[in-house]
Amino acid sequence: MSSEIRLTPTSYIVLGLLEATEEATPYDLKQMVAVSLGNFWSLQHAQLYTEPERLAAAGYLEERREEGGRRRRHYSITAEGRAALRDWRGEPTAELTELRDLALLKIFFGADPKEMAEVQLPAHERQLATYEELRRDVGKALPEGPGITLEAGIASERIWVEFWSSLAG
Amino acid sequence: MSSEIRLTPTSYIVLGLLEATEEATPYDLKQMVAVSLGNFWSLQHAQLYTEPERLAAAGYLEERREEGGRRRRHYSITAEGRAALRDWRGEPTAELTELRDLALLKIFFGADPKEMAEVQLPAHERQLATYEELRRDVGKALPEGPGITLEAGIASERIWVEFWSSLAG
DNA sequence: CTTTCTATAGTCCAAAATAGACGGTTAAAG
DNA sequence: CTTTAACCGTCTATTTTGGACTATAGAAAG
């Protein structure tokens, strides 16, 4: 049944999304990612095709393939998958936020802060506005987890707006 | 002389560090990363051995190999390397911060926020303290770029301390 | 001196992730 | 019917990760 595979964050993203939906195609997953955690954890769409396959081979998911037409693959989570997800989720992590900011990297190596701020400030303002709009529109309806991450996103964008403002002079 | 290679952030990190030092071995680079941008842009030490080789093959670096003993490789940046770095640095980017936060990911999928906060809060407090200490000790001596990124690190850690505090109840 | 310990320094491999090109299918509009 | 747009999926090359593994140099201990 299950060969040994390493479960990565990508794996848990797939498991987590499938726990909430009972069944989904990679394309469905792609859509879900796009509107939710894609905002704070980027991943390649190709991975949403290969990862479920890997997970299915290891027994964490079950695959059902359409007979006719597109022969889409539909995945659902197994008991084993649920268990793995539960274990992972239950284990708090002390790992720190990893920040990958190209603009900051350039500045570290001597880019002009003011010029950079002129480009970064509007970008972050837009992002902040998007999040706040999201909160206004669907905030109340969100499950606790996504609600909290949305707040985190807003808090962090606020900081960046402030930060780049200070450099914009 | 230079075959075509794709220059990634890793490439510019190597070029940027070498611009500041004239000459360094991969091990030196590793040390530099550890004390500076390693804080906000993680990379694998093995890359600091393979990347310079790649860059040298493409003409962006020059390699000098020790004759005796360890036969260490010493790299220095070429005019071509400097030009590439200058171009990259001069081009402001609108790309947003990419946030990879395992704790947030777990919470998104239903982990207990309070439990998580108990682990995350002290971790971020420690990190914030480290940065502030760094600023107190060497802050004034830092070049502009690293100084700004340090400020960014501090601002961002402050937010996280605040954020996790609010969840710790 | 020779062993042994520690910090230094480098290499390697398998697996996973990325970038992005490319190719098909379905449905709807004209 | 045909065109177009939205939908859906696969592929390859390259880069990155994680982490095991090896080796050298110098200092300290016997």
Side-chain angles (χ1 to χ4, degrees), chain A residues 16-163:
Chain A
L17 291 173
L18 284 171
E19 188 193 39
T21 49
E22 285 310 308
E23 199 182 68
T25 66
Y27 190 76
D28 294 334
L29 295 176
K30 188 171 127 183
Q31 307 294 79
M32 294 181 216
V33 165
V35 301
S36 59
L37 50 28
N39 280 118
F40 71 93
W41 194 293
S42 77
L43 45 87
Q44 215 62 28
H45 72 274
Q47 277 199 270
L48 295 174
Y49 289 88
T50 55
E51 187 65 20
E53 206 179 315
R54 216 169 70 89
L55 292 172
Y60 297 104
L61 298 182
E62 208 169 280
E63 182 182 320
R64 177 176 75 72
R65 190 132 189 200
E66 286 177 2
E67 289 306 323
R70 275 187 193 197
R71 305 191 27 73
R72 286 204 213 73
R73 294 159 205 269
H74 294 252
Y75 292 95
S76 53
I77 192 167
T78 63
E80 213 177 325
R82 278 178 212 282
L85 182 60
R86 186 167 6 86
D87 289 351
W88 172 77
R89 182 165 52 202
E91 193 55 57
T93 176
E95 204 154 304
L96 291 170
T97 303
E98 191 177 330
L99 196 60
R100 290 220 159 178
D101 191 306
L102 201 54
L104 236 32
L105 189 64
K106 289 192 181 202
I107 285 186
F108 183 88
F109 286 121
D112 179 46
K114 197 163 168 184
E115 262 183 56
M116 193 66 77
E118 267 156 33
V119 174
Q120 285 282 313
L121 183 54
H124 282 285
E125 279 171 343
R126 239 186 333 271
Q127 185 70 4
L128 177 57
T130 304
Y131 286 161
E132 285 179 330
E133 205 174 316
L134 192 61
R135 175 168 61 179
R136 203 183 49 242
D137 297 348
V138 301
K140 297 296 162 105
L142 247 34
E144 194 192 16
I148 292 176
T149 55
L150 179 55
E151 289 308 321
I154 290 175
S156 134
E157 282 303 329
R158 269 201 227 285
I159 271 298
W160 292 117
V161 166
E162 202 177 299
F163 175 78

Side-chain angles (χ1 to χ4, degrees), chain B residues 6 8 10 44 47 54 69-70:
Chain B
R6 192 151 52 102
T8 68
T10 308
Q44 215 60 28
Q47 278 199 273
R54 217 170 67 93
R70 276 189 193 198

